[in-house]
Amino acid sequence: MDEPAVIGRRVQRLRAERGLTQRQLAEPAYTPAYVSTLESGKVRPSEAALRHLAERLGTSYDELATGRPAHLATELRLALTDAQRLLATGDADEAAVRYRQLLTEAELHELAPEQAEALLGLGDCALESGELADAIRHFEAAERQQSGEPLPRRTRAIRGRAIAHVLAGELRYACYLLESTIDELGTSGLDDPESLVLLYSAIIGPYLDMGAQARAAHAAELALALAPQVSDPALVAGMHRQVARTFLAEGRTADADASLAKAQSVYRQLRLRTDLAHCHWMRGYVYAQDGELAAAERELRTARDMLAAKRAALFTCQVEVELADVLRRLGRFTEAAALLDPLVETAPELGDRHGAVHAGGAHRLLGLIREEHGELESAEEHYVTALGLLERSGASGDLADLCRLLGDLLRRTGRTEAAMDAYRTGLGHRAAPGTTTLGPAPAPPRVRP
């Protein structure tokens, strides 16, 4: 509620616009003297008084108390739902423009929940475009806006921030964020299925990069088991949006808000397709580790198609690297190289700033393919490039393996001292303390998959 003087001037302006006297505005519940005192800013009106005056002036309590246009919050939520639809269907650039406009409007009218929703949307857009610093900034701002909300309401911001840290190579911190949130949901009795799917699917990647394959597999199975509890067709979301528009046109704000809440929930669930694609990705990884290459190829292709449909360019490139590894192991070298060559030559998604683990993996695989074809000089170049990328990412297990490959190549070409240096470097990475050591795994959810 605004200050008494501001409210008083607003009441006086609206009364004059409607041609009412102070007596006509006041009666029957109040006196003209009370209205005069209120208009001069000498008294803070009660909620009951403002509701009476709002009815007499033909406006809403919120507009009289705060100056916000009637139905503004509901109209903003409707516009945010439209932006969420744009993002859910893959048009991240257009969605980002819309979210920025809506954030400005929400800030202007001090609508905290709508500010948080716009910030979450901007964070998701920044993740898809690979702008990690912007993503972290938006998610942190959303967390601040939601600081008084229950944990399930804050899960999206925490999960988004963790994913940005994963892509930036800060794996242990990302695991800490996600695991502590999973545990807090459990201990507080708020283990909401949608929140758990978001968190479990997000933690798969850092687990894999840190060598915690068993935890990654368990997280993937839990996410896939819980997923049916949060699925709903896009058609239903569209229906709720249209119903909300109808209610709003009829002045039924509460009903419009309820329909918008349902639509927003569905669009959040549609965004889970990216996370579910990560689960298929994880299954493909597990199959590949077990030597079930045909099943691995099937799961990885499913993940790639889902991610490509969402225009999640960075994640699509990462899956293609792992698919190329499976194709190479199946003896389909030409297909594998055809996937990898464009990634290392022209894909900006894989490089120093983010995606370094998979960029290094792409060069490692190309080195293996070149070595298998006797192109030793080209293989060495790829290994050295991969080494530089992985050293910056901190993926110790991959570094140790790469040093072994490079050492073997150097030894076969007669450069024994250089080979020994490579082996020593690999042993140092393998022995680095704490690189794959995490704390206790999160407790399993109490909700029944």
Side-chain angles (χ1 to χ4, degrees):
M1 184 183 294
D2 287 335
E3 292 300 313
V6 176
I7 295 174
R9 288 194 296 271
R10 188 176 298 130
V11 170
Q12 186 178 42
R13 175 177 57 79
L14 291 172
R15 180 177 62 78
E17 288 175 358
R18 287 151 178 76
L20 298 173
T21 66
Q22 291 180 339
R23 181 177 298 279
Q24 289 171 324
L25 180 59
E27 293 179 344
Y30 298 91
T31 66
Y34 176 76
V35 172
S36 176
T37 304
L38 187 153
E39 288 183 349
S40 65
K42 296 177 180 177
V43 64
R44 177 175 290 278
S46 66
E47 181 179 338
L50 280 184
R51 290 194 182 280
H52 166 79
L53 296 174
E55 183 178 356
R56 300 287 289 169
L57 291 167
T59 187
S60 69
Y61 165 79
D62 284 338
E63 184 167 8
L64 200 58
T66 66
R68 297 169 189 153
H71 310 314
L72 173 66
T74 302
E75 289 169 355
L76 261 179
R77 284 193 287 275
L78 181 58
L80 285 164
T81 306
D82 289 340
Q84 199 170 4
R85 176 187 58 80
L86 286 172
L87 184 56
T89 53
D91 201 338
D93 291 339
E94 187 177 349
V97 172
R98 190 70 181 120
Y99 275 126
R100 280 192 288 271
Q101 294 170 342
L102 295 171
L103 177 61
T104 299
E105 192 168 353
E107 289 174 339
L108 178 64
H109 296 286
E110 299 181 345
L111 293 168
E114 287 69 31
Q115 288 181 55
E117 193 65 34
L119 288 165
L120 287 168
L122 284 170
D124 284 334
C125 291
L127 275 184
E128 292 212 359
S129 63
E131 300 298 330
L132 304 183
D134 286 344
I136 291 172
R137 178 168 53 84
H138 291 314
F139 287 127
E140 287 177 340
E143 280 189 76
R144 289 193 294 272
Q145 286 288 341
Q146 297 177 315
S147 58
E149 297 285 345
L151 183 57
R153 295 288 301 275
R154 292 182 275 123
T155 299
R156 287 173 59 205
I158 296 168
R159 171 256 190 196
R161 188 156 58 94
I163 288 179
H165 284 294
V166 169
L167 297 176
E170 298 159 357
L171 306 178
R172 292 182 64 81
Y173 181 61
C175 284
Y176 162 76
L177 280 178
L178 295 166
E179 288 186 338
S180 60
T181 307
I182 291 170
D183 277 333
E184 188 177 347
L185 283 169
T187 56
S188 62
L190 298 173
D191 33 7
D192 167 66
E194 181 177 322
S195 297
L196 289 169
V197 171
L198 286 170
L199 296 168
Y200 280 126
S201 56
I203 208 168
I204 292 168
Y207 275 163
L208 287 178
D209 288 340
M210 296 181 71
Q213 283 85 354
R215 286 198 188 183
H218 184 58
E221 292 304 323
L222 285 172
L224 288 170
L226 289 166
Q229 297 187 37
V230 293
S231 61
D232 206 351
L235 181 62
V236 175
M239 178 271 292
H240 285 305
R241 283 175 56 243
Q242 295 308 316
V243 168
R245 291 182 189 278
T246 302
F247 284 146
L248 191 58
E250 295 173 354
R252 298 165 59 184
T253 306
D255 291 332
D257 284 346
S259 287
L260 285 174
K262 294 175 184 176
Q264 287 178 324
S265 175
V266 174
Y267 285 125
R268 282 196 296 272
Q269 291 159 20
L270 287 175
R271 293 283 300 152
L272 291 176
R273 285 187 61 81
T274 299
D275 299 294
L276 294 177
H278 280 71
C279 298
H280 286 287
W281 180 358
M282 176 62 214
R283 277 183 167 170
Y285 177 87
V286 171
Y287 283 136
Q289 293 299 302
D290 290 343
E292 300 179 44
L293 299 182
E297 181 184 358
R298 182 178 64 250
E299 291 289 342
L300 291 172
R301 287 191 184 279
T302 298
R304 185 188 64 169
D305 292 345
M306 291 173 71
L307 292 167
K310 293 289 287 95
R311 302 183 189 177
L314 172 59
F315 294 134
T316 302
C317 290
Q318 292 177 333
V319 172
E320 286 178 341
V321 172
E322 301 203 14
L323 177 58
D325 184 40
V326 170
L327 294 174
R328 184 193 68 82
R329 292 168 62 187
L330 286 167
R332 291 151 62 183
F333 301 110
T334 302
E335 288 181 62
L339 274 178
L340 295 168
D341 282 328
L343 296 182
V344 301
E345 291 172 4
T346 61
E349 290 81 13
L350 294 181
D352 290 348
R353 287 198 307 137
H354 40 69
V357 171
H358 282 80
H363 281 286
R364 172 187 173 278
L365 288 172
L366 283 170
L368 285 169
I369 292 171
R370 301 292 189 261
E371 189 172 355
E372 287 162 353
H373 285 78
E375 303 172 27
L376 301 185
E377 185 176 345
S378 176
E380 183 178 345
E381 290 175 0
H382 282 297
Y383 289 152
V384 170
T385 301
L387 192 61
L389 287 164
L390 292 175
E391 282 178 336
R392 287 190 287 277
S393 74
S396 301
D398 292 338
L399 275 166
D401 177 65
L402 185 60
C403 288
R404 177 188 60 80
L405 290 173
L406 179 59
D408 290 348
L409 176 63
L410 293 169
R411 182 170 54 83
R412 287 208 311 276
T413 55
R415 287 171 286 175
T416 307
E417 286 299 322
M420 292 294 290
D421 287 340
Y423 291 142
R424 290 190 194 99
T425 301
L427 286 171
H429 286 300
R430 177 60 74 185
T435 51
T436 59
T437 302
L438 300 171
R446 290 182 293 179
V447 293
R448 294 178 63 85

